[in-house]
Each structure stands twice: as structure tokens, then as C-alpha cells.
Amino acid sequence: MKLATLGKQLLLRKSQHTTGDQSMCGCVHSTQDQALHLEGEPNPPAAPTSTLAPKNMPKSISISKQLASIKALRKGSDLEKAIATAALVFRNSSDPDGKLRKATAKNLLQTQFKTFTEGQETKARYKDLLSELDEHTENKLDFEDFMVLLLSITVTSDLLQNIWSVKITQ
């Protein structure tokens, strides 16, 4: 698809899905456009910005600012905000089709999930999870696959044992 056509489609989605500071449908494109609009950027870029974008690309908006721009999450629970954060990290790193390259997924594990992956490299289950990722028939992961990967690593992580031992009452 030609870049100009893609740009027109994204602009059309923006005009169909956003008005002022409120998302009409809650889809990925409208929440991104909403975040850009709320940040006061007069002419938002036609394509999603990525945390892994080249230096000549516009600077991306921080995850915390993106979360703050989602009106429905202002009174959201910690769990809702945690899932929304994972979704935004995924979306910011995915391609325009909403898919994440395997190499990008591995990079996210090393940079955004390193506390959970540290010390796991020699464990059989962790190696199996990475092998499954390498053997994934598609070269890309959708959001569901990404979340299953994160949860699988969390369950096998030593950090989870530390989390379970945290005192929760006084």
C-alpha cells in the first residue's frame, strides 16, 4: 500500500473516531489520536509513533501521559491501569496492522520486562517460552499472543515468589 493512501486512511479514521477530547469508539486509533490531541500537538502525525522509531520521527508521548489522557481510566483500578499500560506498550511498538515483530517482542522483554526475565535465561520453562516464540508460525504476534507470553513469563519468574511474599496487612 502506498504511504499516501495509508496516511489518508489514518486521517479518515481520526475524523470518524474522535471529537474534542473524547474517543467515540475507544479503538486503538482514536485513543492514540485523542492522546496526541490532548497534548496540544496542532497537526498530529498520520502514522502511529513508536518507542522504537528512528530519530527523525516525532517524539512519542510517554505511556503515563497516554494513560492520563484516557478519560475512562481516571478512576480505574490498579489492575485496569496495569492492563492498559501493557496495551499501550504493545500498541506503541506494533506495526500499523497492530502486530508486533518477534524481534521487537524480544526487545520489549529485555527492556520493559527485564525485572521478570532476569535470572530466567537458564531455566527450562523460560527457554521453552522463547523457543515457542521463535517457532511461532507467523513472524508477528498479535496482542493476545503478547499478553499470553507476558503472563507465562510472569508465572515462571522468580520475581513472582517475591511478590507473593510481600506483606499485605499490618
Side-chain angles (χ1 to χ4, degrees):
M1 179 179 297
K2 291 184 178 180
L3 192 55
T5 305
L6 179 61
K8 286 179 184 176
Q9 288 178 343
L10 290 171
L11 288 173
L12 179 61
R13 284 185 191 144
K14 178 181 184 245
S15 66
Q16 291 173 339
H17 295 307
T18 59
T19 59
D21 67 346
Q22 196 169 16
S23 170
M24 295 294 284
C25 68
C27 73
V28 168
H29 295 288
S30 61
T31 55
Q32 178 191 16
D33 292 337
Q34 171 187 3
L36 291 171
H37 176 73
L38 287 176
E39 289 301 312
E41 188 172 314
N43 295 314
T49 57
S50 167
T51 56
L52 304 174
K55 290 185 181 186
N56 62 348
M57 296 294 289
K59 185 177 178 185
S60 62
I61 298 169
S62 72
I63 296 291
S64 60
K65 286 185 180 181
Q66 290 178 47
L67 274 175
S69 75
I70 302 171
K71 191 174 185 178
L73 286 177
R74 290 188 183 142
K75 293 183 180 181
S77 70
D78 292 340
L79 182 58
E80 290 168 325
K81 290 176 183 175
I83 296 299
T85 298
L88 287 170
V89 168
F90 176 87
R91 199 277 322 274
N92 290 346
S93 300
S94 64
D95 63 20
D97 293 330
K99 300 279 184 152
L100 195 64
R101 290 185 7 246
K102 286 187 210 179
T104 305
K106 287 182 177 182
N107 183 50
L108 285 174
L109 292 177
Q110 294 170 349
T111 60
Q112 297 287 318
F113 213 59
K114 66 183 172 187
T115 308
F116 281 92
T117 60
E118 283 179 344
Q120 303 305 307
E121 299 85 2
T122 59
K123 292 187 174 184
R125 182 63 185 134
Y126 183 76
K127 287 180 181 179
D128 289 345
L129 289 170
L130 290 185
S131 291
E132 288 175 28
L133 177 60
D134 287 335
E135 294 168 6
H136 196 274
T137 55
E138 294 180 30
N139 196 28
K140 297 180 180 183
L141 302 174
D142 62 17
F143 181 65
E144 182 179 343
D145 292 333
F146 180 70
M147 291 301 290
V148 168
L149 177 64
L150 290 183
L151 291 172
S152 298
I153 290 172
T154 301
V155 169
T156 64
S157 173
D158 292 334
L159 180 59
L160 186 60
Q161 294 310 311
N162 293 340
I163 293 168
W164 290 140
S165 67
V166 169
K167 187 176 179 180
I168 58 173
T169 59
Q170 292 185 357

